[in-house]
């Protein structure tokens, strides 16, 4: 067939296809931007023009039903608010940080590795986590006689510097002779969690580069006594500075035995 | 090309066109049916909120979450965060119009309440709002249905639907699972 003939056959198809598409489009516009907003807007007490503007996206939508005013308590779990600048500066270790860290040596050790296992190691801890904890001690969201006083003596810049300093220090070596053979159910809690109790795996947040909440601290290479004490504190509501009960809701479901074994696991085993 | 082959090709083409049209029509009808009969619709509100300070100011601070009765209005506020809902259990009365408001400080989550028409995405920066009426009483499962990280499969909450006469708000208008 010649091209002209082919075009002749094609014509009605093209015309009908165009008509169908244009009419579907016209129907959608009329139905979605005019009829539905007017009918539904009337039920929600909006006049036709406002309803149409909101449907088209010119006016911002607001709850169609008026919201009760919130009288949220003035004391939130934490005062920390994140920003990209803040997170960037937590990754840059400066000499100023090493200077501030001199004040921490007595309890957190020469290089951020504490001699007393009741005190946490800071070496190799995530900078974001150290920053958040110091901020919380300073604002009183996390309570500890000694640390509250120390954090209140630091200004915002010093907190960032010292956090970046310890984050860049090398971690405590793990002593392979202390690593216990750990129970299967504990390893399962660490790696898989327990769906029946709604317990996410510890490592879904605490694992290296796990992608959970960014303020999550590193647990491996930490001291056993310190870890166990924190888990008990979260469970008994003694520590409540975790945003949206992220850690309290987990600890509340753990048994004494599990807390003990988990603390031991993270203190002695390379978990990733 | 021979004429009868051309006819064959045309015929096959028409058959496939018919088949595809039928499939698309069936899907469209299913969507319209779900929308009109089961009231399953995409949420229509656009309301923004700052995810970076969600935990600090206003409606979605920890102390303000959960079910609250304000006059005739029953609202429950829930935060979806990696990898849990806060609160993890909410109480709702049966056969009353209720409002559920969701927000997230971190990544995209989604929820559905099993056996009901409640189903929405929860997107950082926006408040997701759903109005509904629960008709079945009992503990309904509310899982996160949008992959949000390694702990996603353990992320679920409970919606406890109680008969209307057992739904008793405290003096502050709040109703919690613990109190019952
Ligand atoms: Cu989720």
């Amino acid at each position: 067939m010649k091209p002209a003939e082919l075009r002749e056959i094609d014509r009605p198809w093209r015309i009908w296809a165009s008509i169908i598409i244009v009419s579907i489009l016209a129907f959608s516009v009329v139905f979605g931007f005019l009829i539905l907003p007017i009918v539904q807007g009337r039920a929600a007490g909006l006049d036709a023009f406002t309803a149409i503007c909101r449907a088209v996206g010119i006016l911002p939508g607001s709850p169609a039903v008026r919201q009760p005013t919130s009288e949220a308590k003035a004391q939130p779990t934490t005062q920390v608010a994140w920003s990209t600048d803040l997170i960037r500066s937590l990754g840059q270790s400066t000499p100023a940080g090493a200077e501030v860290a001199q004040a921490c040596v007595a309890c957190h050790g020469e290089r951020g590795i504490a001699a007393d296992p009741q005190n946490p190691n800071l070496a190799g801890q995530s900078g974001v986590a150290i920053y958040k904890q110091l901020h919380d001690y300073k604002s009183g969201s996390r309570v500890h006689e000694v640390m509250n006083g120390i954090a209140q003596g630091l200004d915002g810049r010093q907190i960032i510097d010292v956090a970046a300093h310890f984050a860049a220090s090398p971690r405590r070596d793990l002593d392979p002779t202390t690593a216990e053979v750990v129970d299967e159910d504990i390893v399962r809690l660490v790696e898989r969690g327990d769906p029946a109790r709604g317990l996410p795996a510890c490592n879904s947040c605490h694992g290296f580069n796990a992608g959970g909440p960014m303020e999550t601290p590193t647990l491996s290479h930490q001291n056993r006594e310190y870890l166990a004490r924190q888990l008990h504190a979260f469970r008994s509501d003694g520590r409540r500075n975790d945003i949206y009960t992220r850690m309290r809701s987990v600890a509340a479901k753990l048994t004494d035995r599990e807390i003990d074994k988990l603390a031991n696991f993270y203190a002695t085993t390379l978990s990733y | 090309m021979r004429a009868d082959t051309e006819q064959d090709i045309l015929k096959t083409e028409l058959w496939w066109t018919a088949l595809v049209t039928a499939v698309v029509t069936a899907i469209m009808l299913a969507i319209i049916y779900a929308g009109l009969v089961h009231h399953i619709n995409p949420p229509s509100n656009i309301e923004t909120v700052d995810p970076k300070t969600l935990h600090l100011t206003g409606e979605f601070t920890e102390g303000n979450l959960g079910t609250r009765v304000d006059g005739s209005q029953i609202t429950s506020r829930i935060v979806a965060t990696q990898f849990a809902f806060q609160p993890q259990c909410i109480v709702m009365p049966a056969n009353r119009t209720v409002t559920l408001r969701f927000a997230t400080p971190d990544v995209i989550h989604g929820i559905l309440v099993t056996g009901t028409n409640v189903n929405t995405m929860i997107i950082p920066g926006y408040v997701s709002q759903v109005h509904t009426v629960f008709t079945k009483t009992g503990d309904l499962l509310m899982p996160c249905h949008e992959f949000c990280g390694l702990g996603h499969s353990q992320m679920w909450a409970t919606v406890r639907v109680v008969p209307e006469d057992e739904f008793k708000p405290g003096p502050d208008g709040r109703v919690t699972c613990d109190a019952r």
Side-chain angles (χ1 to χ4, degrees), chain B:
Chain B
M1 208 185 272
R2 277 170 43 208
D4 58 336
T5 351
E6 186 120 354
Q7 286 300 316
D8 286 346
I9 292 172
L10 186 64
K11 221 156 112 192
T12 324
E13 263 179 7
L14 282 175
W15 271 112
W16 282 110
T17 311
L19 184 67
V20 170
T21 312
V23 169
V24 172
T25 312
I27 293 173
M28 285 301 167
L29 287 178
I31 292 174
I32 292 172
Y33 179 81
L36 294 181
V37 180
H38 295 305
H39 299 282
I40 297 175
N41 301 302
S44 55
N45 278 304
I46 299 178
E47 196 184 337
T48 54
V49 67
D50 182 2
K52 293 198 296 298
T53 53
L54 194 68
H55 60 290
L56 287 179
T57 42
E59 204 184 333
F60 289 95
T61 50
E62 201 182 307
N64 203 42
L65 300 176
T67 306
R68 210 174 114 205
V69 183
D70 187 54
S72 63
Q73 220 170 302
I74 303 168
T75 310
S76 201
R77 299 183 175 76
I78 300 147
V79 165
T81 168
Q82 287 170 322
F83 301 102
F85 292 99
Q86 164 69 1
Q88 301 199 343
C89 176
I90 60 166
V91 183
M92 295 262 88
N95 305 318
R96 294 273 301 270
T97 301
V98 294
T99 305
L100 300 171
R101 285 168 67 74
F102 299 91
T104 173
D106 39 51
V107 298
I108 297 180
H109 301 268
I111 57 105
L112 58 78
V113 181
T114 46
T116 72
N117 67 341
V118 179
N119 188 335
T120 181
M121 302 276 288
I122 308 169
I123 297 167
Y126 295 91
V127 176
S128 305
Q129 175 170 288
V130 185
H131 306 290
T132 192
V133 178
F134 292 107
T135 49
K136 264 188 302 184
T137 56
D139 281 2
L140 308 180
L141 188 65
M142 182 174 87
C144 177
H145 68 33
E146 191 68 38
F147 183 76
C148 57
L150 291 175
H152 167 69
S153 49
Q154 283 84 18
M155 181 167 173
W156 51 268
T158 307
V159 177
R160 180 163 298 163
V161 184
V162 300
E164 219 179 314
D165 52 347
E166 286 176 29
F167 182 79
K168 294 201 184 70
D172 53 354
R174 295 185 171 282
V175 193
T176 63
C177 288
D178 309 334
R180 293 175 28 84

Side-chain angles (χ1 to χ4, degrees), chain A residues 197-200 205 231 234-237 239-240 242-254, chain B residues 62 81-88 154 156:
Chain A
R197 282 188 283 173
L199 260 180
C205 295
L231 284 170
F234 278 127
R235 191 174 65 170
S236 64
D237 243 16
R239 176 174 168 186
R240 39 186 311 130
D242 50 331
I243 299 172
Y244 290 132
T245 74
R246 278 166 182 158
M247 204 41 229
R248 270 170 289 164
S249 63
V250 170
K253 295 170 188 160
L254 298 175
Chain B
E62 201 182 307
T81 168
Q82 287 170 322
F83 301 102
F85 292 99
Q86 164 69 1
Q88 301 199 343
Q154 283 84 18
W156 51 268

Side-chain angles (χ1 to χ4, degrees), chain A residues 183-206 231 250 253-255 257-263 265-266, chain B residues 154:
Chain A
D183 313 47
E184 225 174 276
D185 63 323
I186 298 301
V187 179
R188 206 178 308 126
L189 271 183
V190 168
E191 291 174 354
R192 300 270 177 83
D194 183 356
R197 282 188 283 173
L199 260 180
C202 306
N203 272 2
S204 62
C205 295
H206 288 285
L231 284 170
V250 170
K253 295 170 188 160
L254 298 175
T255 64
R257 178 187 157 272
E258 283 168 340
I259 288 184
D260 222 48
K261 297 271 181 184
L262 282 166
F265 175 88
Y266 276 109
Chain B
Q154 283 84 18

Side-chain angles (χ1 to χ4, degrees), chain A residues 59-137:
Chain A
L59 282 183
S62 53
V65 180
R66 203 181 57 78
Q67 287 309 303
T69 45
S70 95
E71 17 86 70
K73 304 286 171 302
Q75 178 57 48
T77 358
T78 179
Q79 308 283 343
V80 170
W82 302 110
S83 70
T84 37
D85 282 345
L86 172 61
I87 288 162
R88 199 172 308 127
S89 42
L90 284 170
Q92 295 157 353
S93 180
T94 59
E99 216 162 282
V100 182
Q102 290 308 312
C104 325
V105 170
C107 306
H108 293 289
E110 185 80 53
R111 296 202 159 71
I113 296 166
D116 179 351
Q118 291 288 342
N119 299 353
N121 300 325
L122 298 180
Q125 181 58 274
S126 109
V128 176
I130 300 179
Y131 173 84
K132 174 172 186 290
Q133 298 310 322
L134 285 174
H135 198 293
D136 283 353
Y137 282 128

